[in-house]
Amino acid sequence: MQPETAVCHGGSCHGAPCGNVAWHVASGCEQCLAKKSNALDALRKDDLRQLSAARSVRRWRKGETLFEEGTAINGILCIREGSCKLVKLTENGRHQTVRLAGAGELLGQRSTISGETAHLSAVALEDMRGCFIAKADVMALLETQPAFSMAVMKAICQDLRETDDVLVDMAQKTVTARLAHALLYLSARFGETPDGSLRLQLSREDLAGIVGTAVESCIRLLSGFARDGLLELDGRRIRLLDKRRLARLHG
């Protein structure tokens, strides 16, 4: 990769020095594998070349915030590497994890189109890299490229459906069922290491946030799963031993 140059895309500093640094890189959108999993894959080669010139790349360390609830994103983020959690601040001051996002996903589509501020915060679960595409560039493509517009709408509908599924699970499924489902989801979406452990190693607090339960309950259920031979625990490492039984627990 050629040397990178810093450019701020935060919007609020209007070009003044700030900590909201982005990085222009030489690798093009045409060759990027991440776009294969999102609406950008519907764009023509000419459009992708223009995006390559206009977009910038951000890097985040584990635990850093990509954007905060209530702030203007002013564009979309395409995750190239790593994963993050999308969280909502509840009335009692706790952060409820709504969903996880990983490589190939776009963030900020709804806020960019609606002009609203972000309704969730995004926090890196591991070191991340992602491309930022400014709102003006996104809106121009939406207005001129029907295939891209349709792909974005489908992605937003998919996000809404997943949110509905989470709400139904929260209302109708037991904590045990939700934990079993979360473990299977982590395996299917983010993969496993060669020894069979979940590749994305979450803290018990983060896992409890996904399930929607107290940390203590999550730890107790994981220990019970281990005693029953469903999984193996080694610190944060979780190795699923019986996915069929976990699937039956979710129902």
Side-chain angles (χ1 to χ4, degrees):
M1 182 178 294
Q2 296 182 8
E4 303 171 330
T5 56
V7 175
C8 175
H9 64 248
S12 60
C13 62
H14 303 291
C18 72
N20 192 15
V21 177
W23 302 95
H24 282 296
V25 296
S27 56
C29 295
E30 292 177 83
Q31 294 78 31
C32 181
L33 295 178
K35 79 176 191 307
K36 295 293 184 181
S37 303
N38 61 51
L40 297 177
D41 198 41
L43 292 173
R44 302 173 305 184
K45 289 184 178 180
D46 288 346
D47 296 317
L48 290 171
R49 280 194 288 269
Q50 291 179 18
L51 282 185
S52 294
R55 65 92 171 89
S56 52
V57 172
R58 276 294 314 267
R59 301 180 191 276
W60 298 270
R61 295 294 185 186
K62 180 179 179 179
E64 286 187 327
T65 300
L66 284 67
F67 53 82
E68 292 186 354
E69 179 181 350
T71 61
I73 303 177
N74 296 322
I76 61 175
L77 286 168
C78 176
I79 302 175
R80 296 183 66 175
E81 298 173 3
S83 57
C84 65
K85 59 180 178 179
L86 298 169
V87 299
K88 181 76 174 177
L89 185 63
T90 63
E91 292 182 358
N92 61 8
R94 299 184 64 180
H95 286 93
Q96 172 65 51
T97 300
V98 176
R99 70 181 184 93
L100 304 182
E105 294 191 56
L106 296 179
L107 302 178
Q109 298 171 104
R110 284 173 55 190
S111 297
T112 297
I113 294 172
S114 67
E116 300 173 343
T117 57
H119 66 289
L120 300 171
S121 297
V123 181
L125 291 169
E126 54 188 341
D127 290 350
M128 295 183 63
R129 190 160 63 113
C131 290
F132 175 81
I133 305 170
K135 180 175 180 177
D137 296 318
V138 176
M139 297 307 294
L141 290 170
L142 288 171
E143 292 170 1
T144 60
Q145 301 301 322
F148 175 66
S149 299
M150 182 61 69
V152 169
M153 285 191 289
K154 286 181 177 179
I156 292 174
C157 290
Q158 175 69 20
D159 288 344
L160 292 173
R161 193 193 76 177
E162 290 179 0
T163 300
D164 288 344
D165 290 342
V166 170
L167 292 174
V168 170
D169 267 10
M170 288 291 185
Q172 299 183 358
K173 299 289 186 178
T174 65
V175 177
T176 299
R178 298 201 302 269
L179 177 57
H181 179 261
L183 294 171
L184 292 171
Y185 167 76
L186 289 171
S187 172
R189 175 63 181 85
F190 299 99
E192 299 178 349
T193 62
D195 71 352
S197 299
L198 297 178
R199 191 196 66 77
L200 185 58
Q201 296 181 24
L202 299 178
S203 67
R204 297 297 183 258
E205 182 178 4
D206 283 333
L207 185 55
I210 296 170
V211 175
T213 189
V215 178
E216 295 77 10
S217 297
C218 182
I219 293 173
R220 184 170 58 254
L221 286 171
L222 283 174
S223 298
F225 282 3
R227 285 194 302 271
D228 293 340
L230 298 175
L231 52 80
E232 185 177 84
L233 300 173
D234 181 13
R236 287 192 179 186
R237 296 169 65 87
I238 300 176
R239 181 168 175 250
L240 305 186
L241 302 177
D242 197 333
K243 294 180 181 180
R244 288 186 178 181
R245 288 173 62 195
L246 285 171
R248 286 200 295 270
L249 280 177
H250 179 249

